[in-house]
Amino acid sequence: MSNNKSLLKPGDYKLPMCPSGLEHINRYWDKRQQSFSAKILPGEYYVSKHNEIINTVLGSCVSACIYDKYAGVGGMNHFMLPLGNVTEHSGKEHLTSATRYGNFAMEILINEIIKAGGQKKNMQVKLFGGAKVLTSLLTTDIGQKNIVFVRDYLEIENLRVVSEDVGDIYPRKIMFFPDSGRVKVKKLKKMHNDTVRLREERYRIKIDREPVQSDIELF
């Protein structure tokens, strides 16, 4: 094999082993990054301890990139809270189904990282997303609700956030290197179509109808 990285082809490396249950994730050779890459969509997550990239594009959704730098393992999720809130007469909101859904998205990622050799005490987190890109009257603040939820969750679980890039009005492309914790972020300030917005609208409608019931216990 040539020492020139620009000449590397997917056949020069073996596709890293995929964790059980994540075979449906789209994985491919990223010629520009010279690495295999796993692309996750809304509602998905991926975990790896190999030299590969996890990438996604976020609008109102949020992603937590969680990694154990000592074990060289990490993972990323991509989720949004349902809008199925219950409001008391006092005006206080109880994110019942929404909280269960968010807990599920976070807990399953943490558990899978532990299964792959990580330890919760060593985990660090980088947060992204929560932009204001959904424009209907019902969803103007969903990005901020996602941000508030994930920050509160991580505080309760005593997981350290080492950096974040959240809020604003622009979608983001995220590239996460799970074995090192390194992240590349690109804000998509010029978008020629509504792909991200429409994808998240469809996802929001789906989870509002069928919120996930979380019964996972953290190791």
Side-chain angles (χ1 to χ4, degrees):
M1 182 176 68
S2 169
N3 289 327
N4 188 342
K5 287 190 69 175
S6 65
L7 298 179
L8 294 178
K9 305 180 293 296
D12 293 330
Y13 290 111
K14 183 178 179 181
L15 183 67
M17 184 175 296
C18 177
S20 177
L22 297 179
E23 295 83 2
H24 63 286
I25 298 297
N26 178 21
R27 301 164 77 206
Y28 59 93
W29 177 256
D30 186 327
K31 186 176 180 180
R32 176 173 294 182
Q33 298 297 323
Q34 290 291 286
S35 175
F36 285 103
S37 188
K39 182 176 183 178
I40 61 172
L41 299 173
E44 295 182 339
Y45 70 93
Y46 189 75
V47 171
S48 178
K49 54 183 176 181
H50 303 291
N51 183 24
E52 60 182 329
I53 300 167
I54 309 174
N55 75 84
T56 197
V57 177
L58 300 166
S60 298
C61 293
V62 293
S63 281
C65 298
I66 304 178
Y67 61 99
D68 178 340
K69 64 179 181 180
Y70 301 107
V73 59
M76 179 167 70
N77 56 23
H78 180 155
F79 71 97
M80 176 192 296
L81 301 182
L83 293 177
N85 299 346
V86 175
T87 304
E88 290 183 322
H89 294 299
S90 64
K92 295 180 179 180
E93 285 185 327
H94 286 263
L95 300 181
T96 50
S97 61
T99 299
R100 286 195 295 271
Y101 191 94
N103 286 346
F104 177 85
M106 294 300 295
E107 290 165 3
I108 196 168
L109 175 61
I110 293 169
N111 271 16
E112 290 299 321
I113 293 172
I114 292 172
K115 287 181 184 178
Q119 296 186 57
K120 190 177 178 185
K121 66 179 182 180
N122 295 330
M123 290 181 187
Q124 297 183 354
V125 187
K126 297 182 180 181
L127 294 178
F128 305 95
K132 190 174 181 180
V133 299
L134 296 182
T135 56
S136 74
L137 293 176
L138 292 176
T139 58
T140 51
D141 61 351
I142 188 61
Q144 185 61 31
K145 286 186 177 182
N146 293 332
I147 294 168
V148 170
F149 164 80
V150 74
R151 283 174 174 167
D152 288 347
Y153 178 92
L154 293 168
E155 182 177 358
I156 291 169
E157 292 296 329
N158 197 29
L159 289 173
R160 180 173 168 233
V161 178
V162 296
S163 66
E164 63 176 41
D165 183 8
V166 297
D168 210 334
I169 61 172
Y170 300 110
R172 295 168 172 86
K173 181 175 182 180
I174 311 298
M175 299 179 66
F176 175 49
F177 299 77
D179 57 337
S180 67
R182 186 165 61 99
V183 179
K184 292 183 178 181
V185 182
K186 180 179 181 180
K187 287 190 178 180
L188 306 177
K189 296 185 178 181
K190 293 183 180 179
M191 298 206 54
H192 301 291
N193 57 57
D194 288 334
T195 301
V196 175
R197 183 182 61 80
L198 293 174
R199 180 187 292 159
E200 290 195 353
E201 285 281 10
R202 290 194 296 268
Y203 174 53
R204 182 189 62 79
I205 292 170
K206 177 182 177 181
I207 61 177
D208 280 347
R209 290 174 177 170
E210 301 176 0
V212 172
Q213 304 298 315
S214 173
D215 57 0
I216 295 174
E217 293 185 4
L218 291 179
F219 291 134

